Amino acid sequence: MAANLTQIFKVIEDTITKPPIPHEPYKQSLKAWAMYCLRDKGFIVAYAQNADFAIERKREEKLYFKVSNSPDDLDNSFNWIVWDSVTKSVSLITQKTD
């Protein structure tokens, strides 16, 4: 199961680092852009009460994501999609598990 999760995160990372459309902060929010890119790749993106959105997986727990414009002070209990305005790039930071 961990290998499957690693593959999913690899696809998510590839999707946001080589997106179908570039993120343009003056046109759309990071959250809307990330959700669009993931849906375009075939992920089921759903509402999440305590996160920005979730990705549903068949017979598995949802993966919860938050978005940020800064890599500082991120809550380790979530997966993060982070926009770096200096390099104009997006990165994925996965949840820390014990």
Side-chain angles (χ1 to χ4, degrees):
M1 181 154 106
N4 186 29
L5 196 55
T6 301
Q7 290 172 328
I8 289 170
F9 282 129
K10 176 71 174 128
V11 172
I12 291 169
E13 185 173 39
D14 288 348
T15 300
I16 63 170
T17 57
K18 300 172 199 139
I21 60 169
H23 175 50
E24 299 172 297
Y26 54 90
K27 285 187 177 180
Q28 80 274 71
S29 71
L30 180 59
K31 176 182 171 181
W33 174 83
M35 290 171 61
Y36 170 83
C37 292
L38 293 168
R39 282 186 180 121
D40 184 70
K41 190 68 174 179
F43 286 100
I44 299 169
V45 180
Y47 169 79
Q49 186 171 345
N50 296 323
D52 287 322
F53 61 89
I55 291 178
E56 294 182 349
R57 303 180 300 149
K58 292 179 181 164
R59 298 176 296 282
E60 300 276 343
E61 287 186 35
K62 291 180 182 179
L63 296 174
Y64 293 94
F65 289 84
K66 287 193 172 191
V67 298
S68 177
N69 290 315
S70 170
D72 301 325
D73 299 322
L74 302 179
D75 181 346
N76 288 337
S77 61
F78 292 96
N79 299 298
W80 288 87
I81 295 177
V82 179
W83 171 252
D84 183 338
S85 60
V86 175
T87 62
K88 299 200 180 332
S89 63
V90 182
S91 59
L92 172 68
I93 299 172
T94 56
Q95 175 180 354
K96 304 288 187 271
T97 55
D98 294 333

